[in-house]
Amino acid sequence: MSKEIEDHRLLNQSSNQPFADVLAQHVSRRAVMRGGLGLAAASMLGFGGAAQALASNGVQKTPLTLAFEAVQGSLTDAVVVPEGYVAQVLVPWGTPLNTGDSWQSDQSMTAERQAASVGMNHDGMAGFALDADNASRRFVLVLNNEYIDQAALWAPQGGPTNTSEGKRPAEESRTEINAHGVTIVEVEKDTNGHWSHVPGSRYNRRLTSATVMEMAGPVAGSDYVKTRFSPAGTQTRGTNNNCGNGLTPWGTYIACEENWPNVFVNHGQLFQDDARIGIPTDKSRYGWDTSAGDASEESDEFARFDITPRGERAEDDYRNEARTFGYQVEVDPYSDAHAVKRTALGRFRHEGCWLGKLEAGQPVVYYSGHDSRNEYVYKYVSDAAWDPADANRPGEAYDRLAIGSKYLDNGTLYVARFNADGSGEWLPLTPSAQTRDGRSLATALGLAENDLAGVIINTCDAADLMGATPMDRPEWATVDPSSGEVYLTLTNNSKRSEEAAAATFTNQGDDIAQLGVGYETAPANAVNPRANNEAGHIIRWRESRLPNAFRWEVFVFGAATNDEGNHSGLTEMNQFASPDGLWFDQRDDGQGILWIQTDNGYEGITEYTNDQLLAVVPNSLDEIQGTGPVINNSNQQQLKRFAVGPNGCEVTGIFATPDKTALFINIQHPGNWPADGSALTQDATAETSGQVRPRASTVVIQKRDGGPVGV
């Protein structure tokens, strides 16, 4: 999540063993990770979801090397890239999707205009080929619009109205609702290497916090999600605060609902699941609910954000509205079909949705982290085995969401437990699963036998009861398709102390014991000695041949150069904190670049540089020395800073064209950038002069000579 909207009240208070304790007992398990686990043949996503087989032939490979000079840190209103590279702004917030429309820096935004323009604060994104021959020059770009910058949105009128008290104007609430969600837009590169969007493309559209969407999977049609809008519990409106993203091999996009709870408010008694996940009881974040009753309101468009029970039945009000959020949302970028919320993948604050190693005849696997302090890591395994005949066929029209139903509506959700010996276990979140005290999970949650929908609604409490390992804000993950190794950022944890904290319990419900309780502060330890772990770290694991088992190790610790806790030996040219976005960029012969993005608030780094993008080739680290993390004093020079964002921003969202000649990243919530507030495309490296209306934007980074990025 962006640090701009982190709710510092949110932390898992269960008494499960903190990851800090695990790190204290065992930092690195490289020998175990490698023993008996050679690189296996793998298949994985191609651009836009086409599955491509990657086979190892046993031939000695020339290691892939990074061929750019690391850039210095920067504290400017500009994007900084290495010598020999250029960076261009593409589809900034407010870019009109239709022909004949325009954008001006002093333009007032309306609900209608925002619904037909690129949304605000770009985050996760991906490209989807329109035809195989031109996949690196023309495609559909799909990107999340995570949240809004109200100051920039309402700059022409001097800011938003009644944000602290009183009723929000209906037009302002509608506009803010329409600034959230997902943007789908066709983009293309001309013969000069310049990128632009295609106004009026039949693919251009917006999904907002008001767009009708389908519910699917175990929760769909259950009593948990019946509302006045959808008495059958089969539909909802909107997707909100989408952070990271996912891709499917059948050619669809997954938007991940993360900080959605605080757009709602409940002034009455919270359900157990609402309390656990953080629904506010005083006021909602934006006050959209206060616009209810306006003469222009249609179909309870604002009233639905107040989930206080008011009627006799759930179908009479919106007590269940928040239960239609917190899911992975599947979008077909090639059609205008309704997006679908895939409830089988769990309900929580999804940071992303990352496809595991894809193999014919094996289940489809997705990983996701719950981005809050001391929360968990999840894995979904489909019942259906992957059939390569279902792979995406760019340019063809067919029902991709029906294929999504095949793999994403029936499967098993697991939560991770990390053991001190470097092993790990995936714990099933099923009604019959046995909890730590010997009860069935359904019984422990106070549910009826076989109530899978109830388990999904209460995903977080279910994970508590199963004994999952609380983590330091698990954010983005990525998978090396050759080795199958999964990398995960643990951004930071401001609830960590020098002393071991005693577990305390607070019973939040009469019918459910010991839920949402315990470790408010995790203990520090010798290998992670910094109180409040402000710099974060990255771990990786590999699935074992044993059922529901894996092996894990620490990959790199974030730190400032002079920190006592600089366990990875970082220098001025690669010091970083709060790792967030991750992407494994598959190259030739199964090798690839691991890209690392940051969302930093650590003083030791912020005084030196803005948020950044770093690169490392994991295969270049094979000859690792020492007993610390994978990246340490013996090899940390392999980790290089590639780019730095402008002041005030977070660097997020990342992918490259199939030919690797264009790398796309997002610049979220910049303070005073891009330089020309009215231009739709411009030089991203130009430093702003004076004050401009800031606009989150996608940035395309390319080599001047047109070669592949990074090498």
Side-chain angles (χ1 to χ4, degrees):
M1 82 175 85
S2 168
K3 63 178 178 287
E4 297 288 309
I5 55 172
E6 179 185 0
D7 186 341
H8 293 278
R9 298 171 300 171
L10 294 175
L11 61 147
N12 171 20
Q13 296 183 337
S14 78
S15 59
N16 299 341
Q17 184 186 26
F19 193 53
D21 281 359
V22 178
L23 290 180
Q25 297 176 57
H26 203 106
V27 173
S28 177
R29 296 295 301 175
R30 289 194 300 271
V32 177
M33 283 276 288
R34 292 176 180 180
L37 293 178
L39 296 183
S43 60
M44 183 58 175
L45 288 182
F47 190 74
Q52 301 293 330
L54 301 170
S56 174
N57 57 15
V59 177
Q60 184 68 34
K61 300 172 183 175
T62 301
L64 188 70
T65 58
L66 300 175
F68 62 89
E69 293 297 324
V71 301
Q72 296 281 347
S74 171
L75 297 170
T76 64
D77 286 315
V79 173
V80 177
V81 294
E83 185 69 27
Y85 284 82
V86 295
Q88 179 209 325
V89 172
L90 178 69
V91 293
W93 159 61
T95 299
L97 299 180
N98 302 321
T99 56
D101 294 338
S102 63
W103 166 269
Q104 301 297 325
S105 59
D106 59 352
Q107 180 172 295
S108 295
M109 187 60 75
T110 65
E112 182 180 11
R113 179 177 289 135
Q114 182 60 83
S117 303
V118 173
M120 211 167 202
N121 279 328
H122 306 25
D123 208 305
M125 63 176 172
F128 293 83
L130 293 172
D131 63 83
D133 293 337
N134 295 297
S136 293
R137 303 189 66 88
R138 173 177 172 261
F139 56 84
V140 177
L141 173 65
V142 187
L143 60 89
N144 293 339
N145 303 115
E146 184 181 12
Y147 73 106
I148 57 174
D149 177 351
Q150 288 180 305
L153 182 60
W154 303 115
Q157 67 182 45
T161 305
N162 293 344
T163 55
S164 299
E165 58 182 2
K167 295 178 72 67
R168 297 292 313 280
E171 178 66 10
E172 288 190 22
S173 290
R174 281 195 197 95
T175 304
E176 294 178 1
I177 286 169
N178 288 343
H180 285 77
V182 176
T183 295
I184 305 169
V185 57
E186 183 180 346
V187 298
E188 61 182 2
K189 182 173 69 170
D190 64 22
T191 55
N192 296 318
H194 185 271
W195 289 87
S196 61
H197 79 295
V198 181
S201 167
R202 68 184 182 90
Y203 299 105
N204 294 354
R205 65 179 176 128
R206 286 292 318 286
L207 306 177
T208 74
S209 291
T211 304
V212 175
M213 299 183 176
E214 303 295 326
M215 302 292 294
V219 174
S222 71
D223 289 342
Y224 296 104
V225 289
K226 292 179 178 178
T227 67
R228 182 172 172 178
F229 173 75
S230 179
T234 57
Q235 288 187 327
T236 187
R237 283 172 287 183
T239 183
N240 218 80
N241 294 96
N242 305 100
C243 189
N245 66 287
L247 293 172
T248 71
W250 49 92
T252 59
Y253 179 85
I254 298 178
C256 310
E257 297 181 324
E258 189 203 15
N259 278 321
W260 55 272
N262 58 22
V263 303
F264 297 100
V265 67
N266 186 337
H267 298 294
Q269 181 67 40
L270 289 176
F271 293 126
Q272 172 65 36
D273 56 286
D274 289 339
R276 174 67 173 81
I277 213 159
I279 300 292
T281 57
D282 50 355
K283 65 187 298 289
S284 61
R285 179 175 179 82
Y286 300 115
W288 299 335
D289 54 289
T290 68
S291 297
D294 186 271
S296 67
E297 183 178 20
E298 297 182 0
S299 302
D300 301 327
E301 59 181 307
F302 309 123
R304 69 191 180 97
F305 292 103
D306 184 342
I307 63 172
T308 308
R310 302 181 188 281
E312 294 184 4
R313 306 177 308 150
E315 294 91 329
D316 298 331
D317 54 36
Y318 291 95
R319 68 187 69 179
N320 287 333
E321 185 75 3
R323 287 174 166 175
T324 69
F325 284 74
Y327 302 107
Q328 308 287 22
V329 184
E330 187 179 13
V331 179
D332 183 353
Y334 300 103
S335 79
D336 59 1
H338 284 174
V340 182
K341 298 200 176 188
R342 301 296 184 187
T343 65
L345 281 75
R347 175 178 177 255
F348 49 93
R349 295 169 180 261
H350 289 274
E351 178 70 18
C353 192
W354 295 280
L355 180 68
K357 188 169 70 172
L358 191 68
E359 296 180 292
Q362 297 298 315
V364 174
V365 172
Y366 278 99
Y367 301 97
S368 186
H370 182 155
D371 182 9
S372 288
R373 296 185 297 278
N374 303 323
E375 283 292 357
Y376 305 126
V377 178
Y378 296 87
K379 171 185 175 181
Y380 169 82
V381 180
S382 69
D383 287 347
W386 171 242
D387 182 353
D390 290 332
N392 187 30
R393 303 189 299 276
E396 296 185 31
Y398 57 95
D399 193 347
R400 292 173 173 83
L401 294 175
I403 299 175
S405 296
K406 173 181 176 181
Y407 294 105
L408 299 181
D409 286 345
N410 296 282
T412 302
L413 184 66
Y414 297 86
V415 67
R417 179 161 61 208
F418 292 79
N419 300 319
D421 64 356
S423 66
E425 182 181 359
W426 293 110
L427 309 169
L429 300 182
T430 58
S432 61
Q434 185 171 317
T435 64
R436 289 174 293 174
D437 61 5
R439 295 178 294 171
S440 73
L441 185 55
T443 299
L445 287 168
L447 304 173
E449 185 179 359
N450 298 323
D451 185 1
L452 179 57
V455 173
I456 295 295
I457 290 292
N458 294 278
T459 298
C460 303
D461 282 326
D464 290 345
L465 290 163
M466 292 300 296
T469 303
M471 309 289 273
D472 285 353
R473 284 189 55 199
E475 293 219 38
W476 288 52
T478 189
V479 178
D480 178 343
S482 291
S483 67
E485 290 174 349
V486 186
Y487 295 80
L488 174 75
T489 55
L490 299 173
T491 294
N492 52 50
N493 189 347
S494 60
K495 290 294 182 180
R496 175 173 296 189
S497 73
E498 299 257 351
E499 300 83 21
T504 58
F505 291 92
T506 303
N507 188 354
Q508 295 186 0
D510 295 334
D511 298 326
I512 306 175
Q514 298 183 354
L515 298 184
V517 293
Y519 273 106
E520 179 174 324
T521 302
N525 53 80
V527 296
N528 201 353
R530 298 159 293 188
N532 296 327
N533 187 21
E534 295 176 273
H537 53 289
I538 299 173
I539 63 170
R540 71 177 179 185
W541 67 84
R542 184 181 295 180
E543 298 290 348
S544 170
R545 292 189 178 93
L546 299 175
N548 300 329
F550 60 92
R551 309 297 307 191
W552 67 269
E553 64 185 343
V554 178
F555 185 70
V556 63
F557 285 101
T561 301
N562 297 323
D563 282 353
E564 289 184 8
N566 185 9
H567 305 299
S568 289
L570 304 182
T571 70
E572 184 180 86
M573 300 308 293
N574 61 13
Q575 59 181 337
F576 72 91
S578 298
D580 191 337
L582 277 183
W583 183 59
F584 196 90
D585 182 4
Q586 182 72 41
R587 301 292 174 116
D588 294 336
D589 298 324
Q591 301 186 81
I593 299 173
L594 178 67
W595 298 95
I596 303 169
Q597 298 172 316
T598 69
D599 183 18
N600 175 41
Y602 181 44
E603 184 177 354
I605 304 297
T606 56
E607 61 191 17
Y608 170 75
T609 188
N610 294 332
D611 278 315
Q612 57 189 297
L613 173 65
L614 303 105
V616 64
V617 178
N619 283 358
S620 70
L621 305 173
D622 283 345
E623 297 303 321
I624 303 167
Q625 301 175 15
T627 59
V630 173
I631 296 179
N632 56 46
N633 285 312
S634 73
N635 59 22
Q636 56 80 37
Q637 67 277 6
Q638 302 292 333
L639 176 67
K640 295 184 178 183
R641 183 181 299 114
F642 178 77
V644 181
N647 293 331
C649 86
E650 172 189 350
V651 181
T652 187
I654 183 168
F655 74 95
T657 53
D659 64 6
K660 311 303 180 185
T661 61
L663 182 70
F664 291 71
I665 62 172
N666 281 324
I667 300 297
Q668 189 184 95
H669 60 76
N672 190 38
W673 177 92
D676 186 341
S678 296
L680 294 182
T681 61
Q682 57 184 292
D683 179 6
T685 66
E687 187 170 355
T688 304
S689 176
Q691 186 65 40
V692 299
R693 189 179 185 181
R695 302 173 70 191
S697 306
T698 298
V699 169
V700 190
I701 302 175
Q702 301 175 101
K703 268 187 177 179
R704 291 187 185 276
D705 65 9
V709 173
V711 297

